[in-house]
Amino acid sequence: MTSTFQFQQIGVVHSCYKQKFGIPRQPGLVTEASGSIELLPPFNRLDVLDGLDGFSHIWVHFIFHECMTDNWKAKIRPPRLGGKEKMGIFATRATHRPNPLGLSVVEVKAVRKEGNRVFIDIIGADLLDQTPVVDIKPYLPYADALPEAKGGFAPLPTTLKAVKFSELAIQQANHYKETYHRDLITLIEQVIGQDPRPSYLVGSEGRDHGNQLWNANIKWTAKTDHFLVTQIEFPVGEPHEQVKDA
């Protein structure tokens, strides 16, 4: 016997990740990734966040909103296994699930109010821009941190691959920082260094790729022992006056 449940959206994510490609596969891996959770009516009130300033991190329960129309499978090929071995869906954190629910722990930077809008600024999120949030809970170190826990087929974080920049890309990144006050170089190193390519492209060289981070389009190429960022185009996707630091 099964039941159907309905959830109310309480917030929406504003993130540097404007597309699924390039989002880290776990939270906390890209420390330069900033963003915010905007609480939606009737939850856009500061009293629902009373006491949150005593916690450094929160659990964010969200919806994989761009995977809702995709079919799930009982077994998938996790990227950590190079796409060569299948695991049961409930032994993975795959986005294509029977119920498209996600769970991430993120660092709380600040809580702020702008007019009638209430935001929780966060760091280290692995959340796509406009992701619907359905719940927020405080992270409890004594209960949630289990140093003796086993990590299965993903016991350790992935090793970052070297990321290099062309002279043009460095100039463009510096100009971006002067314009928007964001360290795009560090963000790019952390995002692309984790090799966001699908498993069937890992090992291929000379192929051009692109990631949109904030309002910048990052163009890069895979080399034998590093990734080369060739060009950074901006602004992309939104006007200058709407781009703000989270």
Side-chain angles (χ1 to χ4, degrees):
M1 180 178 179
T2 61
S3 300
T4 300
F5 302 92
Q6 185 174 356
F7 295 96
Q8 182 176 2
Q9 181 179 354
I10 68 163
V12 62
V13 172
H14 301 291
S15 166
C16 60
Y17 302 115
K18 305 300 181 181
Q19 57 186 185
K20 290 186 290 184
F21 179 64
I23 296 179
R25 297 184 176 104
Q26 306 298 339
L29 298 180
V30 178
T31 57
E32 194 62 28
S34 60
S36 64
I37 300 171
E38 180 180 357
L39 298 182
L40 301 178
F43 311 104
N44 56 330
R45 39 192 291 180
L46 290 177
D47 60 350
V48 302
L49 300 176
D50 281 349
L52 189 65
D53 57 352
F55 297 91
S56 63
H57 293 73
I58 55 175
W59 289 105
V60 181
H61 302 253
F62 61 92
I63 304 295
F64 290 114
H65 62 296
E66 289 204 357
C67 300
M68 295 180 65
T69 59
D70 299 333
N71 295 325
W72 68 276
K73 297 180 180 179
K75 303 194 75 173
I76 65 157
R77 302 179 187 272
R80 286 297 296 270
L81 297 177
K84 300 177 181 179
E85 187 175 352
K86 288 186 176 182
M87 292 289 171
I89 182 65
F90 296 135
T92 77
R93 298 190 179 189
T95 58
H96 302 87
R97 316 188 66 81
N99 295 304
L101 295 173
L103 179 66
S104 290
V105 61
V106 298
E107 181 179 353
V108 177
K109 181 180 179 181
V111 172
R112 57 187 169 89
K113 185 175 182 180
E114 296 182 2
N116 293 325
R117 304 173 72 185
V118 175
F119 299 87
I120 305 172
D121 293 333
I122 57 177
I123 299 173
D126 57 343
L127 302 170
L128 181 66
D129 189 57
Q130 299 303 306
T131 290
V133 176
V134 294
D135 198 13
I136 296 169
K137 293 184 176 73
Y139 177 91
L140 302 178
Y142 74 87
D144 297 336
L146 304 173
E148 302 303 321
K150 296 181 180 180
F153 58 84
L156 298 172
T158 56
T159 301
L160 291 180
K161 194 170 182 177
V163 178
K164 300 181 180 181
F165 295 78
S166 69
E167 291 186 9
L168 174 61
I170 291 176
Q171 294 174 1
Q172 292 169 328
N174 289 335
H175 180 45
Y176 186 93
K177 188 173 184 178
E178 292 175 358
T179 304
Y180 299 107
H181 310 290
R182 293 185 180 127
D183 183 3
L184 200 57
I185 287 181
T186 302
L187 179 61
I188 291 171
E189 289 175 336
Q190 293 182 352
V191 171
I192 297 179
Q194 296 184 64
D195 195 350
R197 296 175 297 171
S199 57
Y200 67 87
L201 288 179
V202 174
S204 61
E205 300 175 15
R207 189 183 183 102
D208 294 329
H209 302 274
N211 288 76
Q212 186 178 345
L213 298 173
W214 289 121
N215 62 332
N217 185 27
I218 318 302
K219 294 185 176 181
W220 54 280
T221 302
K223 301 293 185 180
T224 303
D225 59 350
H226 69 277
F227 298 128
L228 176 64
V229 178
T230 57
Q231 188 174 357
I232 300 172
E233 300 174 338
F234 66 92
V236 175
E238 54 185 356
H240 179 110
E241 63 270 17
Q242 291 184 1
V243 182
K244 299 179 180 179
D245 287 325

